[in-house]
Amino acid sequence: MGGFADDERALTRAASQRSLEVTMAFTLQIGQKAPAFELPATDGKTYALESFKDAKALVVFFTCNHCPYVVGSDEVTRATALKYRDKGVAFVGINSNETEGHPTDDFPHMIERMKEHKFPWAYLRDEDQKAAFAYGALRTPHFYVFDAKRALVYTGRGVDNPRETSQMTVNDLDNALADVTASKPVRVALTNPIGCNVKWRHQDAHWMPVDACDLVPKRKP
């Protein structure tokens, strides 16, 4: 006696299965295009993805003012940005952290930090966190490297010890950019970002979206 009701349930199950099959992971996948953005920067300008259209490669990274993993590795990031600037690589940092619980991440403090440190990148404020969601930012810092066609070729950490860079052994961001600028496949396209998790609005400080996960699954002992 199921008839139409059974058919409807079967269609619903099939639709749900298709939905699961096409659902992407939280973080942008290798090969996907850079999501558009239009955000204010500390230099008084507004930058969009198209603002960097002439760059041969683009590094978008989610960062902030207070995280010790950011503070600990900013000078290494600076050195990498300067190293590849003449090869046509542009860097843009985005701060998406909520500021009620982390007031030092607000826009005035961003301006102050850039005046003090004069980092060689545009520093953008993602107040509504739409950019962080579009890119699937997990931590600060979290790096995304896009090729000339703005396809993602690397995402993850900058170095393997961002808090204590004197002890780092691998600079994955540098390796990725060396490969991209040499028109080679990136030797390691995925690593897990290391740092503080992005601070989401109206959530606990350690909250992460339910579909957020490690980019590289941890090995079981």
Side-chain angles (χ1 to χ4, degrees):
M1 295 292 292
F4 177 80
D6 287 342
D7 291 340
E8 187 176 34
R9 282 193 290 270
L11 288 171
T12 300
R13 286 195 298 271
S16 297
Q17 182 61 37
R18 285 194 299 271
S19 177
L20 287 171
E21 290 172 353
V22 301
T23 296
M24 301 302 294
F26 177 70
T27 299
L28 201 68
Q29 304 289 287
I30 296 298
Q32 287 188 291
K33 296 292 181 139
F37 58 80
E38 187 171 355
L39 300 169
T42 56
D43 61 5
K45 300 177 182 178
T46 296
Y47 289 86
L49 181 64
E50 295 75 20
S51 302
F52 307 94
K53 66 183 186 316
D54 294 330
K56 294 180 180 178
L58 177 64
V59 178
V60 176
F61 64 107
F62 288 82
T63 183
C64 67
N65 295 335
H66 80 278
C67 175
Y69 296 89
V70 170
V71 175
S73 59
D74 266 340
E75 290 306 317
V76 173
T77 305
R78 182 202 298 272
T80 304
L82 292 175
K83 178 179 178 179
Y84 290 97
R85 182 166 61 182
D86 290 343
K87 295 184 178 182
V89 179
F91 275 62
V92 54
I94 300 177
N95 184 352
S96 303
N97 277 357
E98 64 85 21
T99 57
E100 288 187 10
H102 300 83
T104 59
D105 275 327
D106 67 12
F107 196 56
H109 282 88
M110 290 171 58
I111 294 172
E112 181 180 325
R113 191 158 192 266
M114 285 297 281
K115 284 182 178 178
E116 179 183 356
H117 295 284
K118 297 179 173 58
F119 293 121
W121 50 74
Y123 193 18
L124 281 52
R125 177 65 190 159
D126 177 29
E127 187 67 30
D128 60 11
Q129 303 188 316
K130 288 182 179 179
F133 269 110
Y135 282 77
L138 296 174
R139 301 189 180 277
T140 56
H142 186 166
F143 293 87
Y144 299 77
V145 177
F146 298 93
D147 64 14
K149 296 181 180 179
R150 297 301 177 261
L152 185 67
V153 294
Y154 173 80
T155 186
R157 67 192 186 188
V159 300
D160 63 340
N161 195 337
R163 190 164 184 165
E164 299 288 345
T165 54
S166 62
Q167 299 176 30
M168 72 182 195
T169 61
V170 180
N171 188 330
D172 293 283
L173 179 61
D174 184 277
N175 288 341
L177 291 175
D179 291 337
V180 171
T181 55
S183 301
K184 297 178 180 178
V186 173
R187 66 196 80 174
V188 177
L190 280 176
T191 60
N192 289 321
I194 301 172
C196 309
N197 61 295
V198 174
K199 308 307 181 189
W200 300 99
R201 296 171 67 185
H202 312 304
Q203 300 292 345
D204 178 84
H206 300 289
W207 181 88
M208 297 184 80
V210 292
D211 50 350
C213 61
D214 287 335
L215 306 184
V216 180
K218 290 184 172 69
R219 295 180 180 178
K220 294 182 179 180

